[in-house]
Amino acid sequence: MKQTENYQLNQWDPTDRIMMEDFNADNARLDAALTGQGGQLAALAAALAAKGNCSIAVTSYTGAGGSRSDVPSKPTTVQFQKKPVFFIIKGDTALLFATGASAMAACISPTVNWDMAILGATLTWNGSLVSISSSYVNYQMDETGKLYEVIAFYAEDAK
């Protein structure tokens, strides 16, 4: 009687005598192999669940706060789907980087000599709505008529 290469399961020829012990031995081998695979799959699923998950959302808005060097009259507000782990707002004269837990944001803007200046902006969170305050409209990401692109990174529960 022939046997399979990996699990040595019986492969009967027409002339072989079929015996109950051979069936039982094959079933025991299959059960042992499947049990080992099930344990490995459970370990992989647990490791994957511990890694978490994230989603990324992209949106934009048009500024309405005044000209580049104006002192803002009110904060810029940005509504997110939910409070992000991290977000970036890109304008044509500045980039703003912050975490969802932060009360401050780093705002990077080219200076007159095209060196990079790192400036601060204050964040106030109300759920998933952030208010951004700074000393100038362009650092606050709210120059009138300018398009601002927002990339938000959200933590997701593993499903």
Side-chain angles (χ1 to χ4, degrees):
M1 174 178 346
K2 298 176 196 169
Q3 292 187 322
T4 62
E5 183 179 333
N6 295 316
Y7 292 103
Q8 290 71 49
L9 300 174
N10 292 306
Q11 299 288 291
W12 287 277
D13 286 327
T15 58
D16 289 336
R17 184 171 173 214
I18 298 172
M19 307 215 22
M20 181 177 59
E21 293 83 11
D22 295 331
F23 275 109
N24 291 342
D26 284 352
N27 287 336
R29 286 185 196 99
L30 288 170
D31 186 65
L34 291 172
T35 299
Q37 292 296 318
Q40 289 175 354
L41 288 174
L44 285 172
L48 182 60
K51 298 295 180 192
N53 202 355
C54 76
S55 63
I56 301 170
V58 178
T59 188
S60 63
Y61 66 91
T62 302
S67 65
R68 178 181 297 189
S69 59
D70 285 348
V71 175
S73 60
K74 61 184 174 76
T76 302
T77 58
V78 179
Q79 179 68 56
F80 293 97
Q81 297 170 4
K82 61 183 180 178
K83 199 170 192 178
V85 173
F86 178 76
F87 69 95
I88 302 167
I89 301 176
K90 178 200 163 290
D92 64 345
T93 61
L95 286 171
L96 184 137
F97 302 89
T99 68
S102 180
M104 292 294 294
C107 190
I108 301 173
S109 181
T111 63
V112 176
N113 297 325
W114 291 99
D115 294 325
M116 298 306 283
I118 299 177
L119 310 156
T122 303
L123 305 179
T124 305
W125 287 95
N126 182 5
S128 59
L129 179 74
V130 67
S131 297
I132 305 166
S133 301
S134 189
S135 54
Y136 295 106
V137 166
N138 63 320
Y139 303 152
Q140 191 173 292
M141 313 308 280
D142 200 21
E143 194 173 345
T144 299
K146 301 293 181 177
L147 180 67
Y148 293 91
E149 299 170 301
V150 181
I151 302 171
F153 298 83
Y154 300 103
E156 300 291 341
D157 294 331
K159 294 181 170 73

